[in-house]
Amino acid sequence: MTNHAAANISIFQIQLFLSVAKHRSFSAAAVENNIEQSNLSRQIARLEDYLNVSLFIRSSHPIRLTKEGETLRGLWEPLMEAFDYSVHALEKSANSLTICISDSISMINDIHSLREFVAEKLPEFDLQFLFCPIAEYTDYLTKGTADAAITIYIDEAPGSDLFEYYKIRDCLMTVSMLKTNPLSGKNEFP
């Protein structure tokens, strides 16, 4: 690979490469990406030219990745996940706040007053609520599915090194969020 090869590689080519690797088929990847197979093949050929390596063993059916192709797939899949996450984060409105509510029975019984309480405390936000299993709310926060989570109070809350917890009501509910969240670090939740 030349020093300037990376400058010639597009996100689109990486997406196409990963699609072909996933489907092990140029035609299936072309359908998934809504392009003609000949165009997809040209894009992959250019990518291989830029890198000066073969990425696929085309003589087998279904096609297989070469050693170099396997290496790039292992590196580029997380790269594209991070890229997709960053694009999704930018698409969210600055005044949008998604709140994950755990599915514990005590909270579902009080969901209407809970929504009113949060909306009153955060009137400047367009609030979206979603339900999640109590065991998964930390995943919702770390993956960016939710900005904050409202759960029942837990003495030994998981992820205390990543999250801020605030008691918001005497009915033993807490709000959890990543410490990097702009609302984090305040003495109390609004």
Side-chain angles (χ1 to χ4, degrees):
M1 177 168 82
T2 66
N3 289 338
H4 301 289
N8 293 320
I9 298 171
S10 70
I11 297 290
F12 182 61
Q13 286 173 314
I14 294 171
Q15 289 171 324
L16 293 178
F17 163 76
L18 292 174
S19 183
V20 173
K22 176 177 79 174
H23 292 289
R24 298 176 61 177
S25 163
F26 280 83
S27 58
V31 169
E32 178 181 63
N33 290 281
N34 199 28
I35 65 170
E36 293 192 23
Q37 184 177 340
S38 59
N39 188 15
L40 182 138
S41 295
R42 277 193 300 277
Q43 291 295 328
I44 296 298
R46 285 185 189 129
L47 180 62
E48 289 176 322
D49 286 345
Y50 293 147
L51 297 170
N52 199 28
V53 296
S54 292
L55 298 172
F56 297 99
I57 300 169
R58 292 168 172 83
S59 61
S60 69
H61 293 289
I63 63 171
R64 293 181 300 142
L65 288 167
T66 63
K67 181 180 174 186
E68 294 83 0
E70 287 286 351
T71 299
L72 284 179
R73 181 176 64 177
L75 294 169
W76 284 352
E77 281 178 340
L79 173 72
M80 289 309 299
E81 287 174 13
F83 177 78
D84 290 342
Y85 176 81
S86 65
V87 169
H88 174 72
L90 288 175
E91 288 173 347
K92 287 178 78 174
S93 167
N95 291 331
S96 174
L97 186 64
T98 301
I99 299 174
C100 174
I101 300 173
S102 73
D103 61 358
S104 68
I105 303 271
S106 63
M107 294 186 64
I108 292 173
N109 290 337
D110 196 23
I111 191 65
H112 182 71
S113 65
L114 177 62
R115 285 182 179 192
E116 286 180 353
F117 172 79
V118 174
E120 180 182 307
K121 294 292 186 177
L122 300 167
E124 71 276 13
F125 286 96
D126 174 25
L127 299 174
Q128 304 295 319
F129 294 90
L130 57 96
F131 290 98
C132 71
I134 186 128
E136 297 177 17
Y137 79 90
T138 56
D139 288 339
Y140 278 63
L141 294 171
T142 55
K143 292 179 181 175
T145 306
D147 300 303
I150 299 176
T151 67
I152 58 173
Y153 181 77
I154 305 168
D155 281 335
E156 298 291 325
S160 58
D161 55 330
L162 290 176
F163 302 103
E164 292 285 339
Y165 291 90
Y166 301 97
K167 184 176 175 184
I168 60 170
R169 288 178 124 180
D170 288 334
C171 63
L172 301 177
M173 291 185 206
T174 61
V175 172
S176 308
M177 65 191 76
L178 287 172
K179 289 184 177 182
T180 56
N181 187 306
L183 295 174
S184 177
K186 298 184 178 195
N187 290 333
E188 65 180 49
F189 189 73

